[in-house]
Amino acid sequence: MANKLSTIFVLLLIIIIAFITYWLKIEVEKELLTKNNNNASGPEFYLKNFNSVQTKKNGAVKFIIKAKNMEEFNYAEYAILKKPHFTRYKNSKPHSFIKSNNGKVINGGDKYLFTDNVILTRIKTKKKREMRLFTDELDILPNIDIILTKKPVKIIQEPNIEIYGIGMKYDNKEGIIKLLSSVKVHYDKPRKKKKIN
């Protein structure tokens, strides 16, 4: 009798283990299928002539981000931008522009990644001349007003200064650009105009 009970118990245990194994296999396959469908599918939505304005508490414009196209991928938690253009405002006026061929909106706008022919232009003011920065990749952190890159950069400062370096941090609040390594400066002395008698 005891022998019969132990045999029945072992058989029940084997059936339960087989059922759990089968159920786990089905759940894993379902999860993989869902993941593959998400990855294979296109964007959640697509916008033409995307334009977003971020304002301060007082209603003044902080920055504007726009792009020719935007594709939102919810499963990947980013959006792809074509021909993005970022305008930073200071004292209710445009202060700097950043444009590139491609970009990404990451973490719902906590970070923007601009890639492929990135150009940053700081607009001329009464105190500062126009400055342009060229690089291949730029991280924009709008909430803390900082722009970063680890890539080589070229800066042209009007009228005749060229600066080269690798890696850069631009603190927009302080108005300070810090090049991280391999810095070279090229300065052309302005030529004196000859007087014609």
Side-chain angles (χ1 to χ4, degrees), residues 33-44:
L33 188 64
T34 304
K35 250 187 180 176
N36 288 339
N37 284 343
N38 279 346
N39 288 338
S41 67
E44 294 291 316

Side-chain angles (χ1 to χ4, degrees), residues 91-116:
N91 302 323
S92 301
K93 291 181 182 176
H95 174 261
S96 59
F97 302 104
I98 304 169
K99 64 178 184 174
S100 70
N101 291 332
N102 299 301
K104 277 186 183 178
V105 182
I106 301 166
N107 292 336
D110 287 341
K111 177 180 170 182
Y112 297 97
L113 173 66
F114 278 33
T115 55
D116 187 17

Side-chain angles (χ1 to χ4, degrees), residues 55-71:
T55 57
K56 297 176 184 175
K57 286 179 183 177
N58 65 3
V61 176
K62 190 175 180 185
F63 67 85
I64 295 174
I65 176 98
K66 52 186 176 178
K68 190 176 177 183
N69 300 325
M70 183 179 94
E71 296 178 348

Side-chain angles (χ1 to χ4, degrees), residues 13-66:
L13 196 60
I14 289 169
I15 290 168
I16 290 168
I17 290 170
F19 175 76
I20 290 170
T21 306
Y22 179 73
W23 178 77
L24 283 171
K25 180 181 177 249
I26 288 171
E27 288 302 309
V28 168
E29 284 174 351
K30 251 200 270 180
E31 183 68 24
L32 281 171
L33 188 64
T34 304
K35 250 187 180 176
N36 288 339
N37 284 343
N38 279 346
N39 288 338
S41 67
E44 294 291 316
F45 63 86
Y46 176 88
L47 293 174
K48 261 188 150 180
N49 299 317
F50 164 74
N51 192 0
S52 175
V53 180
Q54 174 93 23
T55 57
K56 297 176 184 175
K57 286 179 183 177
N58 65 3
V61 176
K62 190 175 180 185
F63 67 85
I64 295 174
I65 176 98
K66 52 186 176 178

